[in-house]
Amino acid sequence: MEIINNVTDNVIKKAARALKEGQLVAFPTETVYGLGADASNEKAVSRIFSVKGRPTDHPLIVHISSINQLDKWAIDIPDYAIKLARIFWPGPLTLILKRSELAGEYITGSQESVGIRVPFQRIALQLLAEFEYLGGAGIAAPSANRFGAVSPTNANDVNDEIGTYLSSNDFILDGGQCQVGVESTIIDCSGESPNILRPGAITSEIISATTGLNISKIFEKNVTRASGNLDSHYSPKAKVILDVNANPGEGFIAMADVPTPVGAIRLASPSTVEQYAKELYKALRLCDKKNLKKVIAIQPNGGGLAIAIRDRLSKSASSN
Ligand code: TXA
Ligand code: MG
């Protein structure tokens, strides 16, 4: 396996060919890095599960280059889902739709629905376009971390997570630091109106303001198998504790205006919630690199991306 720092057109072509041949390619998206395989190749997809150590009943998101590919993967698509796709793709939004025959049970964890997204990232979009040019229909890609661990937001973190599980013909494409830093918003489009299963950068406020759609948030109730509904998720080795005072020697993550408690080790000081989201996973990884046993995170207040940050933090805290 090679980490490729200079992702030229030629590299994209090679990586797309590797995918077609059944290899794995880790690639950047605007949210987090994904571990990609040809979504119509069952054997290639099964390698994703073994590299991640992920149970096979946990469904994968299929990435496509544009809304034009949607009909391959989903059927009976409601009008409101088309509206969401038209407005927010490419972007950090995953739609859960009724699966087509192409979306095999090995992708959907035997559910009748499939998750689809068009990422907003140059390398990801070029890779998808080239892969489709070679006859591919979509790239299945979960976050490129071991199951339950923190999602990687740069290529070195991908290598730290799964490098030893990849083979010599697989690729890691380096696209620098991810812009958003937390995973896409997941919207279940199987009902009369959309339901947010996992909060992300596309918030319910943004959706209702731009589409006029009535949107409900069911992520707090944990009703479907969306990300983080299992106990151990987004978790560093260090124990994550929320909203308490840090003791000397403990890690500390908070907005810049929150002072560092005496003796605590500051791991991030974001001045906006956007920056908090972008730095959160890196800060959680840093505690493990520094061998800290505990990290205290002070959650950001308010709506918008703060909701996604609190969602991930509460899951990483509940699992230890
Ligand atoms: O931002 C993202 O969405 C990133 C990048 C790489 O695109 N991907 C990502 O994938 O976060 P993953 O597999 O780590 O998380 C996707 C979550 C899974 O936990 C899965 O449970 C949920 O999406 N999901 C996928 N298909 C689903 C379905 N048919 N029904 C309900 N949940 C689904
Ligand atoms: Mg994940």
Side-chain angles (χ1 to χ4, degrees), residues 204-216:
S204 59
E205 294 97 319
I206 296 175
I207 293 171
S208 12
T210 47
T211 64
L213 288 169
N214 208 345
I215 183 149
S216 49

Side-chain angles (χ1 to χ4, degrees), residues 31 54 58-59 63 113 117 142-143 183-184 186 198 225 227:
T31 57
R54 171 165 165 157
H58 208 81
H63 296 66
S113 59
R117 134 170 157 85
S143 51
E183 302 80 358
S184 61
I186 300 182
R198 178 176 74 180
R225 242 184 276 162
S227 194

